Amino acid sequence: MNKRALFSDESSEYRIPAEPEINQPVTIRFRTAAGDVDHVWLIHRGVRLKMEKSFSYGVFDYYSLTIPLRESRYTYYFKIAKGDQVCYYTKVGVSDEPYLECRFWILPGMKTPQWAKGAVFYQIFTDRFCNGDPTNDVVDDEYAYIDGCHVKRIDDWYQPPSAMDVRNFYGGDLQGVLDKLDYLQDLGVEALYLNPIFVSPSNHKYDTQDYDNVDPHLGVIVEDCDGVLSEDEDARDNRQSEKYIRRVTDERNLKASNELFARLVEESHRRGMYVVIDGVFNHCGSFNKWMDREQIYEGQEGYAPGAYVSENSPYRDFFQFYEEQWPYNTAYDGWWDHDTLPKLNYEQSATLADYIMGVAKKWVSPPYCADGWRLDVAADLGHSEEYNHSFWREFRRNVKGVNPEAVIIAEHYGSPAAWLWGGEWDTVMNYDAFMEPLTWFLTGMEKHSDEKNEDLLGNAEYFKSSMNHYMSRMLTPSLEVAMNELSNHDHSRFLTRTNHVVGRVAEKGPEAAEEYVNLAVMREAVVMQMTWIGAPTIYYGDEAGVCGFTDPDNRRTYPWGNENQELIDFHRDMIRIHKNSQALRNGSIQLLCEENNILAYGRFTEDEQIVVIINNHSDFAEVTVPVWRIGVPMRGKMQRLMYSYVKGYTVSRDEYLVRSGEMVVNMGAQSALVVENIS
């Protein structure tokens, strides 16, 4: 039996339709070598269902079976027989025994947005992207943040973040994003993912102060206040300046800021680009109008007393307090014990849960019309696993009810199966089935640059097993929209990982993050990002050569005027290749070759076959790739779309011969090749 010919997956060519409705018949296909096997069975709940050969194409036979979907979940795997030979096929491929934990799954009615499948995202940490409106900038000493220390405006846009960066503001804002939409559109970006934009005292804004309004420091300040801290106010750590209070509570500022966000979404949509926003619903900030520990809202018209200010606050049960010795009650449940991040107490307050559901609907509905949510620390929400799942099911019902095409993307480490198979999230930020295995293979570095492991550098078997394990825990519709990032606001910049320096900015200094970086390895990573299954997501500035250790050094400003233009051009070319290929957007994927420091894989549909080869060796390598396994004819030609090597890259066309179903390629050191079938 030719086991290398066996194949099936959850794509639209092997499951028809790929995302069926409840009670809708679905046809399952399985591929074998032509004339090679005696029987193929689909196994469901221990019952063996015989598949019939439906057609042959090239060197393959295709078996099929149509089944009714009368269950809310349908699982299956395959059994294949040839004479006395028997093997099984699951989501991780061929095995002598069935891996039941890796069965194929169908969740009737479970769909992910079509626009997000393979979409090119661009993540923006707004304060560090572009300052389009200096009149809304935070000013020195405008307010105190954490331990009574005052905030600071950084005048030098190119100054690296300090070790205590959270109080420092560079002035990036939504107007800056609007101003750079031409650049992003020219780059090929199809969707924006904005880090939190709601009112918050920090530059990262993961400590929400007001879920109903965009922060005027990112939006518009119509009405300002020239007041500064009075001597009396300065003596009280829990009071803030009148300037800050006016700026973030004045209805004119809030209204104008919300309107600016609506205009950003409208302009993005006009260009065919989508906008996803960040939702931080596990916890809020101690500045939040419901807690009001810093007394921002105390005495302000239209605001009820905060839970920290009064035991009679209507928001008292929004939080879990540990003491009842009012007014000295300062002990409440904080996320990871951070008192600046009070955890929201949903189980004890239906009012709170209803309010957040309203927030979830508000921002994906007119007039704002955002195209989805990215959910911060989503698995941490609530005080029990049972409540967590019920909350996200209700969240999905509310969001999809007002905007069926909105995407729901969760931050999560480890297997997300319980949430994806439960009809809660659409997908995740793809750490485990993309960022981490790719980082280990190409750099031997951990994604924070906190350690390195030479045993994992170039270890193709580890890459394969990691990808198989975590990809098998996800439905293909979820994989197709998963955020495939090389870097983001929580991890070191990928380009810095290529220098193999372990450490953080406080001990190494910012210069060390830029030394000995390897652009050839960076390009290898971008090729994989743009050709692996999922939604490639560029962290702002990665395309321009921005370096940085982990938080806060990874939050450097975009280097306008000092970009690595060749790297931007390379991203633009790879994005074009990605967008022009249906196979790369949502075709099947199959590893074709995995050796020490060598990977080759195919992305394919019936009409299109793409092969990607990575040589991560520091030396030349000859690679033989069995391209027949993805439907390339046994004799024919492959055409080059992209070749990256140590000194640069080329998109000039070249041809490679296919003989006996194989393509033999000479790969330079630390190179990447993308070819398509033109036979």
Side-chain angles (χ1 to χ4, degrees), residues 4-242:
R4 295 199 302 167
L6 304 180
F7 185 77
S8 187
D9 65 7
E10 297 171 345
S11 71
S12 59
E13 294 191 354
Y14 289 88
R15 178 186 293 169
I16 309 164
E19 297 172 305
E21 300 288 350
I22 297 173
N23 293 323
Q24 181 179 12
V26 61
T27 298
I28 308 296
R29 283 181 180 166
F30 189 83
R31 191 193 77 184
T32 72
D36 188 50
V37 306
D38 298 327
H39 302 286
V40 178
W41 295 279
L42 181 148
I43 313 296
H44 168 63
R45 293 193 173 185
V47 177
R48 195 172 66 176
L49 304 173
K50 187 176 181 181
M51 304 183 73
E52 300 292 341
K53 186 190 299 185
S54 54
F55 67 96
S56 299
Y57 186 79
V59 297
F60 300 116
D61 288 337
Y62 292 84
Y63 290 75
S64 64
L65 174 69
T66 300
I67 55 176
L69 292 177
R70 300 191 182 97
E71 306 172 29
S72 59
R73 298 184 183 186
Y74 192 96
T75 63
Y76 63 94
Y77 59 95
F78 301 97
K79 181 178 180 180
I80 308 98
K82 178 180 182 179
D84 294 336
Q85 283 185 284
V86 173
C87 65
Y88 299 87
Y89 196 94
T90 63
K91 293 180 75 169
V92 296
V94 181
S95 58
D96 293 331
E97 296 293 334
Y99 294 135
L100 297 183
E101 67 274 18
C102 299
R103 292 169 290 179
F104 294 94
W105 281 72
I106 303 176
L107 294 180
M110 172 64 177
K111 297 178 183 293
T112 58
Q114 191 63 33
W115 68 263
K117 297 182 192 300
V120 179
F121 279 77
Y122 191 89
Q123 179 185 350
I124 296 177
F125 191 96
T126 309
D127 182 64
R128 307 298 161 84
F129 183 60
C130 178
N131 188 346
D133 179 10
T135 67
N136 64 16
D137 289 359
V138 170
V139 297
D140 287 355
D141 301 325
E142 183 177 326
Y143 57 96
Y145 179 72
I146 302 181
D147 301 327
C149 296
H150 288 184
V151 297
K152 181 177 178 59
R153 173 182 174 176
I154 305 299
D155 293 321
D156 180 3
W157 180 258
Y158 302 100
Q159 176 181 315
S162 62
M164 176 48 77
D165 177 63
V166 69
R167 307 182 187 96
N168 295 337
F169 293 82
Y170 286 71
D173 48 35
L174 296 182
Q175 184 60 52
V177 179
L178 266 166
D179 292 346
K180 297 301 182 180
L181 286 182
D182 283 346
Y183 163 72
L184 296 173
Q185 187 174 23
D186 178 69
L187 189 63
V189 170
E190 297 174 292
L192 306 181
Y193 154 44
L194 304 178
N195 284 107
I197 59 173
F198 303 129
V199 178
S200 161
S202 65
N203 55 36
H204 57 69
K205 304 206 175 300
Y206 282 97
D207 45 2
T208 310
Q209 184 172 325
D210 181 353
Y211 290 98
D212 282 309
N213 293 292
V214 170
D215 195 313
H217 288 108
L218 301 181
V220 178
I221 295 178
V222 177
E223 179 68 19
D224 211 343
C225 172
D226 295 327
V228 295
L229 287 168
S230 68
E231 183 178 351
D232 179 58
E233 287 170 330
D234 196 30
R236 298 172 59 189
D237 289 339
N238 63 348
R239 280 295 286 175
Q240 302 301 316
S241 73
E242 290 300 324

Side-chain angles (χ1 to χ4, degrees), residues 43 77 91 117 158 242 392 459 502 544 575 595 610 623:
I43 313 296
Y77 59 95
K91 293 180 75 169
K117 297 182 192 300
Y158 302 100
E242 290 300 324
W392 292 125
N459 189 328
V502 173
I575 290 171
E595 302 172 6
I610 301 281
V623 183

Side-chain angles (χ1 to χ4, degrees), residues 211-369:
Y211 290 98
D212 282 309
N213 293 292
V214 170
D215 195 313
H217 288 108
L218 301 181
V220 178
I221 295 178
V222 177
E223 179 68 19
D224 211 343
C225 172
D226 295 327
V228 295
L229 287 168
S230 68
E231 183 178 351
D232 179 58
E233 287 170 330
D234 196 30
R236 298 172 59 189
D237 289 339
N238 63 348
R239 280 295 286 175
Q240 302 301 316
S241 73
E242 290 300 324
K243 175 180 280 289
Y244 180 70
I245 293 172
R246 177 72 64 85
R247 284 180 157 191
V248 300
T249 64
D250 190 284
E251 287 297 326
R252 288 164 292 188
N253 292 344
L254 300 177
K255 182 175 184 291
S257 297
N258 291 354
E259 289 173 349
L260 178 62
F261 172 70
R263 184 155 65 88
L264 170 61
V265 176
E266 181 180 20
E267 179 59 24
S268 298
H269 286 174
R270 189 182 69 79
R271 297 165 180 260
M273 299 163 66
Y274 298 81
V275 179
V276 172
I277 55 178
D278 217 322
V280 187
F281 301 130
N282 167 69
H283 55 270
C284 62
S286 58
F287 282 57
N288 190 283
K289 61 187 179 183
W290 300 329
M291 176 66 80
D292 203 20
R293 188 181 74 169
E294 285 75 19
Q295 300 176 40
I296 302 293
Y297 298 93
E298 184 181 8
Q300 295 293 311
E301 184 177 354
Y303 294 97
Y308 194 92
V309 175
S310 170
E311 60 182 329
N312 297 317
S313 168
Y315 313 122
R316 174 71 171 166
D317 58 0
F318 283 22
F319 309 96
Q320 183 178 2
F321 286 91
Y322 293 141
E323 300 177 12
E324 298 298 331
Q325 300 174 0
W326 204 268
Y328 305 106
N329 186 347
T330 59
Y332 49 81
D333 185 18
W335 184 63
W336 281 25
D337 294 326
H338 294 299
D339 63 355
T340 59
L341 302 175
K343 188 172 173 63
L344 293 170
N345 191 28
Y346 292 100
E347 286 95 323
Q348 301 302 314
S349 177
T351 301
L352 170 62
D354 289 344
Y355 196 103
I356 292 298
M357 294 303 165
V359 169
K361 292 187 291 185
K362 170 181 176 177
W363 293 103
V364 298
S365 302
Y368 308 111
C369 301

Side-chain angles (χ1 to χ4, degrees), residues 364-597:
V364 298
S365 302
Y368 308 111
C369 301
D371 299 291
W373 288 98
R374 178 267 188 190
L375 306 172
D376 188 58
V377 295
D380 289 5
L381 183 141
H383 296 293
S384 70
E385 183 176 337
E386 180 182 13
Y387 183 82
N388 182 278
H389 287 296
S390 67
F391 179 93
W392 292 125
R393 282 192 292 272
E394 186 67 9
F395 184 92
R396 182 184 186 86
R397 186 186 69 79
N398 277 277
V399 169
K400 300 286 187 176
V402 296
N403 188 345
E405 285 298 297
V407 69
I408 299 173
I409 305 168
E411 178 191 27
H412 184 69
Y413 296 85
S415 172
W419 292 269
L420 300 181
W421 296 350
E424 298 164 40
W425 310 332
D426 283 324
T427 192
V428 293
M429 302 183 79
N430 204 4
Y431 300 132
D432 294 284
F434 183 76
M435 181 194 282
E436 203 155 347
L438 180 144
T439 293
W440 285 121
F441 178 79
L442 292 179
T443 71
M445 296 289 291
E446 185 268 340
K447 59 184 178 291
H448 291 90
S449 293
D450 281 342
E451 63 176 292
K452 61 182 174 182
N453 188 329
E454 295 292 338
D455 291 337
L456 298 184
L457 175 60
N459 189 328
E461 187 57 38
Y462 179 83
F463 175 88
K464 177 181 178 179
S465 62
S466 295
M467 284 295 197
N468 276 346
H469 176 78
Y470 285 106
M471 288 175 66
S472 70
R473 270 60 180 173
M474 297 174 67
L475 306 168
T476 292
S478 295
L479 280 170
E480 290 174 337
V481 299
M483 277 187 169
N484 287 349
E485 295 185 295
L486 300 176
S487 321
N488 66 17
H489 60 289
D490 285 328
H491 306 98
S492 61
R493 294 276 182 169
F494 186 89
L495 185 55
T496 287
R497 283 175 237 153
T498 68
N499 69 7
H500 306 286
V501 173
V502 173
R504 300 203 172 199
V505 68
E507 57 178 295
K508 298 290 186 179
E511 297 80 10
E514 304 171 8
E515 295 174 344
Y516 313 115
V517 297
N518 190 322
L519 286 167
V521 174
M522 178 73 186
R523 290 193 296 271
E524 288 180 74
V526 174
V527 167
M528 294 188 69
Q529 180 183 42
M530 294 296 163
T531 57
W532 200 260
I533 184 172
T537 303
I538 301 166
Y539 184 42
Y540 79 101
D542 266 10
E543 80 278 18
V546 173
C547 295
F549 291 114
T550 199
D551 174 21
D553 198 36
N554 54 14
R555 301 171 184 182
R556 300 186 187 189
T557 54
Y558 188 98
W560 301 109
N562 295 313
E563 305 95 324
N564 182 324
Q565 192 59 54
E566 184 183 51
L567 192 56
I568 291 177
D569 292 342
F570 180 77
H571 276 81
R572 185 182 294 110
D573 284 328
M574 277 309 309
I575 290 171
R576 173 182 49 79
I577 291 169
H578 172 87
K579 290 170 65 174
N580 288 341
S581 169
Q582 196 60 41
L584 293 179
R585 279 194 178 274
N586 55 14
S588 298
I589 186 168
Q590 190 168 33
L591 272 174
L592 302 175
C593 176
E594 60 276 352
E595 302 172 6
N596 179 38
N597 274 302

